[in-house]
């Protein structure tokens, strides 16, 4: 850092030496004129080093700054003023000029005594305590924010000289960290000096400077290697996250980076592992990558392994250039300015870059306790713990539950069961990643690059993901591969493309004279988003909601359905492999009653997306309103009507009608909950449907010939049996199905009911299963069937089959639903918004305008512009 030292005396001389030893550049020393031909000690020391020395007799005249003096000061280009001891009055335009301001040493415990004679007044007033203060200069020069205070006992025989020599001089020069204080005070001292810099301590016989301090809210992990720190009440802990330090109140803070006396900076978590990695053998292509250094360090004849970037003359702008040049040559390498400071020699830098490119960077190593199974002609590896802040961890108290394979009813594995304390940790991690982490500062295009990489990894693992989805949810493998996983990949690629295309707009306003105002809007992420998803499409529902949140720059805490957590946990692993920073994505398997409710109530969550039942959606909406009025999007229940007219293409109507009900075993939010078939076509349509149902093969979802797999879980299958029994009791005609299949697992027969009247339970309530409800309507009664179709509190989807285009347009306009299918069904696309009306919820998934923008907030800015009249522009 470029520092101007303004002061005098032996004390000023010693502070000057310390600043030089710390590696700072002294661009000028401003001191008092020579007395009797003898220079001040500060001037003498600076002149030895050929540092420019200015000896102004005064800085101002008649209360005003002397322009010539101020101009000479400004010409040195200081970034910080240090005033160790100064008897002159320094103007505020000098004090405020450097970008980091000015820090001053004052020989008293402010605000006890002020002025240059403060040390004298300590004795005059008989103070029992003396000391000094280091503070940021403000108007008046001793009223700014305090950086550091140290105190000592004042002894009965003390004089000004004895206090000065015994304490004020030696301790004032040192200015190291005082460990005997609360964690917050240590944190404040480190962060207060973070950019100056200066927060240091002696550790293992060497000087360490601390950077990047944050307070730790909860008890930090005890997993770490102890580091003895002289003067501290207990050892620090070197953990993967950094160096955990403790105050005298047993509270903790986390330091992320350390710098040694030679200027080398490292991640604090690597303190004990420096130099332990074997050198990576470079390929010829990777050796050519070294040309970047040669193009920047033009003053160096030959770049060798030991060449130090900064000692060779590189400055901060060269760091930016180096990072950007590397990105041009290797777009997959996510390099930050901080990485350059942590690998200052050529060998260290190249090794770091190559390890990152090869995925061998030890800092990013992910520890996964896999459950492995040989199934579907492959070995699948499934994480089963909570995923919080980039790590797989056990739930509080080690609580677990068993997730069940619906094909045979047997457990797949034990899964960690999240508790309230786990929610707090996950939200805290997501908030820190958004507020302080790399994600919040990331360029939108780089964010998109990560999402593209994630989509590529999902594609590479698509067979494994589809297999996990099949055994955990009962989805037929071929459908899981094409839809559950395939559309998830498409969703991330679609939203990756939107990352750098989220824009605001300018707004014409009724201007006040003169015409110098402009108004524009910005789209900004809302912050931490909670996502609660259902069990019918575990991975696809995750993708629909998460991709939009991430594209907009938010962080996510996601609760998968308790019965289908495994693909979400595998997805978390892929986010790490893709390079997503810690805390951006967090996955919490657990109960809705506990985890879902806490997410709804949490004050640090700013948006919640939920797909599930209307009843739970109402409770979530209430909790979100009462807690902190967080934004909400809800995709809830449905009873989607499908109207089939006699002039339809019958083959297509039968095929698509079957799909509208039996697709994904009927566990489909937009499934046709009720079919209205025109009277003249009714019997033929029913006959054709029954013929097709009898051809459906029920069986193992991993068998490629299977059409219909098991229902998701036992409670749901039992509900379907009860639903069918209710239909029979009410007088509806059961044509086929209606029972559990007589085999292990949760299989339910594809079912068809006819003669269903409007007042029956099965005509009004959603089954969410493979049950076709057929009602007839009179020939030509278009308005009558529309009235019956709209007589529901739901409005998620609907459909119509007819060859008459006028009729199709009329019916589609009158149907009150978020999606209307015409001569097709179950067609969704990542670019088309998806959502419902009425008690089917509000807000949209998919599509840019409706879903990604729902994860943003509008910021309106009114700006006063200084615009010259056109006639004045030459």
């Amino acid at each position: 850092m470029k520092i101007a030292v303004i002061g005098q005396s032996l004390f000023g001389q010693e502070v000057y030496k310390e600043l030089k030893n710390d590696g700072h550049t002294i661009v000028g020393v401003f001191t008092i004129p020579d007395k009797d031909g003898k220079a001040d000690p500060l001037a003498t020391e600076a002149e030895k080093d050929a540092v420019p020395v200015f000896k102004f007799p005064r800085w101002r005249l008649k209360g005003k700054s002397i322009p010539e003096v101020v101009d000479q000061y400004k010409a040195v280009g200081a970034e910080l003023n240090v005033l160790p001891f100064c008897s002159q009055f320094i103007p505020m335009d000098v004090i405020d000029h450097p970008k980091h301001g000015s820090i001053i040493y004052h020989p008293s415990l402010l605000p006890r005594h002020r002025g240059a004679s403060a040390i004298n007044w300590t004795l005059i007033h008989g103070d029992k305590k003396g000391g000094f203060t280091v503070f940021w200069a403000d108007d008046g020069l001793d009223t700014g924010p305090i950086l550091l205070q140290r105190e000592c006992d004042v002894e009965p025989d003390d004089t000004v000289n004895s206090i000065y020599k015994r304490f004020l001089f030696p301790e004032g020069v040192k200015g190291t960290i005082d460990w005997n204080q609360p964690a917050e005070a240590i944190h404040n001292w480190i962060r207060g000096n973070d950019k100056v810099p200066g927060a240091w301590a002696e550790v293992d016989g060497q000087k360490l400077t601390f950077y990047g301090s944050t307070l730790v809210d909860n008890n930090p992990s005890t997993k770490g290697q102890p580091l003895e720190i002289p003067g501290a009440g207990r050892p620090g802990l070197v953990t993967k996250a950094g160096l955990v330090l403790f105050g005298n109140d047993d509270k903790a803070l986390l330091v992320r980076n350390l710098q040694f006396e030679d200027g080398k900076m490292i991640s604090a978590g690597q303190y004990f592992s420096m130099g332990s990695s074997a050198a990576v053998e470079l390929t010829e292509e990777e050796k050519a990558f070294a040309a970047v250094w040669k193009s920047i360090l033009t003053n160096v004849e030959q770049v060798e392994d030991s060449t130090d970037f900064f000692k060779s003359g590189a400055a901060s702008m060269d760091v930016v250039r180096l990072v950007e040049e590397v990105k041009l040559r290797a777009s997959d390498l996510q390099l930050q300015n901080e990485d350059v400071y942590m690998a200052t020699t050529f060998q260290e830098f190249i090794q770091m870059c190559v390890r990152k490119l090869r995925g061998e960077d030890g800092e990013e190593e992910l520890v996964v306790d896999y459950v492995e199974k040989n199934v579907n002609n492959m070995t699948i590896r499934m994480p089963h713990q909570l995923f919080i802040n980039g790590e797989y961890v056990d739930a509080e108290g080690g609580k677990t539950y068993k997730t069940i394979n619906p094909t045979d009813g047997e457990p797949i594995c034990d899964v960690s069961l999240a508790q309230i304390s786990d929610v707090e940790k996950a939200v805290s991690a997501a908030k820190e990643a958004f507020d302080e982490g790399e994600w919040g500062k990331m360029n939108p295009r780089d964010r998109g690059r990560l999402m593209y990489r994630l989509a590529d990894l999902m594609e590479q693992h698509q067979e494994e993901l589809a297999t996990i989805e099949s055994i955990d949810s009962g989805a037929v493998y071929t459908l899981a591969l094409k839809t559950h996983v395939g559309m998830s990949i498409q969703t991330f690629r679609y939203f990756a493309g939107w990352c750098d295309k989220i824009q605001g707009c300018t707004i014409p306003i009724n201007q006040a004279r003169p015409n110098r105002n402009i108004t524009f809007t910005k789209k900004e992420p809302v912050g931490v988003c909670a996502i609660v998803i259902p069990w019918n499409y575990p991975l696809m529902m995750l993708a629909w909601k998460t991709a939009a949140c991430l594209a907009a720059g938010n962080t996510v805490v996601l609760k998968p359905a308790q019965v289908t957590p495994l693909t979400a946990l595998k997805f978390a692993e892929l986010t790490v492999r893709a390079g997503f920073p810690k805390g951006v994505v967090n996955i919490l398997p657990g109960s809705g009653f506990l985890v879902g409710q806490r997410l709804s109530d949490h004050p640090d969550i700013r948006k919640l997306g939920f797909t599930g039942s209307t009843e739970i959606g109402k409770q979530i909406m209430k909790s979100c309103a009462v807690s902190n009025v967080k934004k909400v999007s809800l995709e809830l229940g449905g009873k989607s009507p499908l109207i089939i007219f006699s002039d339809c293409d019958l083959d297509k109507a039968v095929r698509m009608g079957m799909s509208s009900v039996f697709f994904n075993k009927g566990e489909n939010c937009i499934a046709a909950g009720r079919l209205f078939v025109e009277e003249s076509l009714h019997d033929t349509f029913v006959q054709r449907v029954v013929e097709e149902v009898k051809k459906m093969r029920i069986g193992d979802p991993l068998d490629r010939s299977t059409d219909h797999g098991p229902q998701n879980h036992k409670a749901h299958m039992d509900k379907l049996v009860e639903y069918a029994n209710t239909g029979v009791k009410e007088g509806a005609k059961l044509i086929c199905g209606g029972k559990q299949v007589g085999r292990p697992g949760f299989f339910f027969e594809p079912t068809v009911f006819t003669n269903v009247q409007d007042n029956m339970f099965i005509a009004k309530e959603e089954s969410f299963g493979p049950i076709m409800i057929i009602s007839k309507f009179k020939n030509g009664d278009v308005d009558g069937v529309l009235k019956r179709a709209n007589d529901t509190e739901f409005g998620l989807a609907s459909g119509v089959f007819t060859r008459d285009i006028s009729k199709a347009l009329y019916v589609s306009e009158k149907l009150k639903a978020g999606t209307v299918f015409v001569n097709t069904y179950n067609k969704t696309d990542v670019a088309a918004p998806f959502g419902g009306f009425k008690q089917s919820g509000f807000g949209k998934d998919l599509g840019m305008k409706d879903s990604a923008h729902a994860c943003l907030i509008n910021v309106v800015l009114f700006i006063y512009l200084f615009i010259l009249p056109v006639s004045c522009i030459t």
Side-chain angles (χ1 to χ4, degrees), residues 100-139:
H100 294 304
S102 302
I103 57 174
I104 297 180
Y105 172 93
H106 184 81
S108 83
L109 297 173
L110 288 174
R112 176 67 176 153
H113 301 297
R114 299 181 181 276
S117 301
I119 186 173
N120 302 75
W121 286 106
T122 297
L123 298 179
I124 293 169
H125 282 213
D127 293 346
K128 301 300 182 185
K129 296 286 184 181
F132 65 87
T133 304
V134 177
F135 59 92
W136 290 109
D138 203 344
D139 193 12

Side-chain angles (χ1 to χ4, degrees), residues 86-365:
C86 185
S87 62
Q88 296 175 311
F89 191 94
I90 310 301
M92 289 309 298
D93 46 357
V94 171
I95 293 296
D96 292 337
H97 178 71
K99 67 178 181 180
H100 294 304
S102 302
I103 57 174
I104 297 180
Y105 172 93
H106 184 81
S108 83
L109 297 173
L110 288 174
R112 176 67 176 153
H113 301 297
R114 299 181 181 276
S117 301
I119 186 173
N120 302 75
W121 286 106
T122 297
L123 298 179
I124 293 169
H125 282 213
D127 293 346
K128 301 300 182 185
K129 296 286 184 181
F132 65 87
T133 304
V134 177
F135 59 92
W136 290 109
D138 203 344
D139 193 12
L141 301 190
D142 62 358
T143 57
I146 290 174
L147 280 172
L148 173 71
Q149 283 189 323
R150 295 284 180 79
E151 66 176 35
C152 67
D153 293 328
V154 178
E155 298 174 1
D157 297 330
D158 263 331
T159 64
V160 170
N161 284 338
S162 67
I163 295 178
Y164 186 72
K165 291 178 181 179
R166 173 168 54 84
F167 184 81
L168 299 183
F169 185 102
E171 291 301 317
V173 170
K174 285 184 194 173
T176 60
I177 298 174
D178 177 11
W179 299 106
N180 188 30
Q181 53 184 336
E184 186 174 0
I186 298 173
H187 162 69
N188 288 338
W189 173 238
I190 293 174
R191 67 172 179 158
N193 286 277
D194 200 52
K195 301 296 181 187
V196 173
W200 61 274
E202 192 171 290
V203 179
D204 287 340
Q206 58 186 335
K207 178 181 174 183
L208 281 186
T209 306
F210 299 81
Y211 294 96
S213 171
T214 55
L215 289 171
V216 179
D217 293 332
N218 301 315
N219 289 328
S221 171
T222 55
K223 296 178 181 178
Q225 194 167 348
L227 177 63
E228 292 292 338
I229 299 176
R234 57 187 285 194
L237 280 177
V238 177
T239 70
K240 287 197 294 184
L243 174 61
V244 178
L245 301 172
F246 301 91
N248 60 11
D249 56 356
D250 284 332
K251 293 184 178 178
L253 60 141
L254 180 71
V255 172
R256 300 194 180 281
N257 300 319
L258 300 172
Q259 188 174 38
F260 296 91
E261 286 188 81
D262 62 1
K264 178 178 174 59
M265 183 179 284
I266 64 166
S267 170
Q270 296 179 332
Y271 182 80
F272 287 115
S273 59
M274 291 184 303
S276 61
S277 300
V280 176
E281 192 69 29
L282 304 186
T283 65
E284 289 303 315
E285 184 178 353
E286 289 165 346
K287 288 177 182 177
F289 182 63
V292 180
W293 272 51
K294 296 177 183 177
S295 68
I296 295 175
L297 301 178
T298 54
N299 60 320
V300 177
E301 291 185 12
Q302 182 67 37
V303 176
E304 300 176 346
D305 286 350
S306 60
T307 300
D308 188 283
F309 192 67
F310 298 103
K311 291 179 181 177
S312 299
S316 57
M317 279 306 299
D318 297 310
V319 173
V320 177
R321 179 183 168 187
L322 178 59
V323 169
E324 294 306 314
E325 292 246 16
V326 168
K327 286 181 180 178
L328 285 175
R329 287 165 170 75
S331 60
D332 287 340
L333 181 57
Q334 295 299 307
L335 202 63
Q336 305 298 320
N337 292 358
E338 190 178 74
D339 294 323
V340 181
Y341 291 100
M342 293 188 179
T344 59
T345 68
F346 176 71
Q347 183 183 40
E348 291 170 340
F349 181 80
I350 294 301
Q351 294 277 321
M352 174 197 66
C353 290
V354 172
R355 288 182 188 279
K356 283 180 177 286
L357 279 171
R358 295 182 186 178
E360 299 171 2
D361 185 7
E363 186 180 350
E364 301 299 323
E365 182 181 356

Side-chain angles (χ1 to χ4, degrees), residues 642-646 648 650 674-686 689 772-779 785 788:
L642 174 57
I643 303 173
I644 301 175
F645 290 97
S646 58
C648 68
L650 181 58
R674 192 174 181 193
L675 277 67
F676 295 92
V677 182
E678 198 162 11
E679 193 170 26
S680 60
L681 183 65
H682 177 272
D683 292 348
T684 303
F685 179 83
V686 171
V689 164
M772 182 178 285
I773 308 296
I774 302 176
S775 299
K776 65 176 69 172
F777 66 94
K778 293 181 180 179
N779 294 332
V785 73
R788 295 171 66 192

Side-chain angles (χ1 to χ4, degrees), residues 547-564:
C549 289
L550 296 178
N554 300 290
T555 55
V556 169
V557 179
L558 181 138
K559 190 198 89 66
Q562 188 171 348
V563 292
T564 54

